Amino acid sequence: MNNHELGAKGENIACEYLTQNGYEIIARNVHFSKFCEIDIIAKIKNKTIFVEVKTRKTNEFGTPLEAITKTKYSNIKTGVLSYITEHKIKNYQIDAIGITLEPKPVIKHLKNI
């Protein structure tokens, strides 16, 4: 499985997890520039949730959430601000979901990062 396939698998798992927990998936893989892509845009109640998903086969080289650097987070914020301005969204938050696939799938959801 290459990195693109691994990322897509993780995003699919994250969407299933969010849906099972009452979220409505609004969009996936929304690009704002070559530096910014929002993996999942979801909604729960009256709040829009922007979700960054990181997936790893194992934690051998660090956990998935450790891969969200300051630069990555800054790029995500830039994309989110562009989206909320364009769509006139007032109630939102940024979440991160880390998925480790082996030895068994583990999902960690950090809310309002």
Side-chain angles (χ1 to χ4, degrees), residues 28-113:
R28 290 180 65 175
N29 306 111
V30 179
H31 290 268
F32 294 96
S33 72
K34 70 178 186 174
F35 299 111
C36 180
E37 173 192 24
I38 303 296
D39 294 326
I40 300 169
I41 301 174
K43 203 162 193 158
I44 190 161
K45 298 180 182 170
N46 66 341
K47 187 178 279 189
T48 301
I49 313 296
F50 298 90
V51 184
E52 174 65 14
V53 180
K54 288 294 182 188
T55 308
R56 297 285 182 264
K57 286 182 186 175
T58 69
N59 287 335
E60 185 177 346
F61 300 108
T63 68
L65 295 174
E66 290 174 332
I68 301 175
T69 63
K70 284 184 182 181
T71 301
K72 178 68 176 170
Y73 183 69
S74 177
N75 290 339
I76 292 166
K77 284 191 342 187
T78 299
V80 166
L81 291 174
S82 173
Y83 189 92
I84 66 169
T85 300
E86 181 180 331
H87 295 274
K88 297 176 176 45
I89 294 171
K90 298 203 184 306
N91 193 10
Y92 71 95
Q93 72 185 38
I94 301 171
D95 289 5
I97 294 180
I99 300 171
T100 305
L101 298 176
E102 297 173 6
K104 65 177 185 157
V106 175
I107 299 171
K108 293 198 177 183
H109 184 181
L110 296 180
K111 296 180 181 180
N112 206 20
I113 60 171

